[in-house]
């Protein structure tokens, strides 16, 4: 969704590669879970999960976080089928792996894979887009800076209103969620440490 105030989405924001749904399916089979069992564990319908595995629907941020937890894998595994980078050092803008979620949120992986303990992401929020009403919680630490737009960041039930240039950090085990309350796109650069 673009407006007179937002730049068009770059080429890396095209629909997700088929590997995301296929990867979820393979992980489910590896854990010997049926779609029904995965449905019960995640609270999502069998129909939704089936469409997700076939690349016909998009998960929310909370969906992917829950899937990672149920499938007993780090969240970062969902980027692992992305194209290889230059000697593990450089990620060219045109080759950033991108995950698109429901509700107008996308994550672009900025770091060259997950070999180190630090990952960098660029998240784009369409106006009104959010991580969902359910709080997220996982291992590691995270921090970031709002590059443009505004961000409503909830940590431990406390809301922080952030503007471009504002930064933050917290332990990822603290319940958190976020939303773009504005009328233009918000972009946030995130840094995550690996889960412990």
């Amino acid at each position: 969704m673009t407006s007179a105030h937002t730049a068009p989405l770059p080429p890396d924001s095209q629909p997700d590669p088929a590997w995301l749904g296929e990867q979820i399916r393979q992980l489910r089979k590896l854990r010997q879970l049926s779609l029904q069992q995965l449905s019960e564990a995640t609270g999502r319908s069998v129909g939704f999960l089936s469409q997700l595995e076939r690349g016909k629907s998009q998960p929310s941020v909370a969906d992917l976080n829950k899937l990672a937890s149920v499938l007993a894998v780090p969240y970062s595994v969902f980027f692992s089928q992305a194209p290889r980078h230059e000697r593990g050092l450089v990620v060219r803008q045109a080759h950033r792996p991108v995950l698109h979620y429901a509700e107008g949120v996308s994550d672009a992986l900025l770091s060259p894979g997950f070999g180190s303990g630090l990952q960098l992401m660029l998240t784009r929020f369409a106006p009104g887009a959010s991580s969902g009403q359910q709080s997220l919680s996982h291992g590691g630490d995270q921090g970031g800076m709002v590059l443009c737009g505004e961000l409503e960041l909830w940590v431990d039930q406390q809301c922080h209103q952030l503007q471009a240039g504002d930064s933050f950090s917290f332990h990822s085990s603290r319940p958190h969620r976020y939303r773009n309350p504005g009328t233009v796109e918000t972009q946030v650069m995130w840094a995550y440490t690996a889960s412990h």
Side-chain angles (χ1 to χ4, degrees), residues 69-120:
S69 176
V70 169
L71 296 170
V73 294
Y75 191 89
S76 60
V77 77
F78 296 117
F79 288 96
S80 66
Q81 297 299 314
R84 299 287 178 235
H85 306 291
E86 295 176 35
R87 299 182 182 212
L89 296 175
V90 175
V91 180
R92 300 292 179 188
Q93 181 175 354
H95 299 113
R96 288 177 187 159
V98 179
L99 288 176
H100 298 273
Y101 308 100
E103 303 183 26
V105 180
S106 69
D107 278 336
L109 180 62
L110 304 180
S111 49
F114 293 91
S116 72
L118 178 69
Q119 290 96 44
L120 300 175

Side-chain angles (χ1 to χ4, degrees), residues 136-142 155-156 170-176:
L136 308 171
S137 180
H138 46 88
D141 293 286
Q142 65 190 80
V155 179
D156 294 331
F170 56 93
H171 194 277
S172 304
S173 64
R174 297 171 69 181
H176 57 279

Side-chain angles (χ1 to χ4, degrees), residues 146-167:
V146 179
L147 300 178
C148 63
E150 53 189 304
L151 184 73
E152 196 175 83
L153 174 66
W154 291 82
V155 179
D156 294 331
Q157 303 302 318
Q158 183 176 0
C159 182
H160 305 271
Q161 300 288 339
L162 305 174
Q163 305 294 321
D166 292 342
S167 55

Side-chain angles (χ1 to χ4, degrees), residues 7-19:
L9 295 176
D12 68 2
S13 65
Q14 296 307 308
D16 288 320
W19 51 259

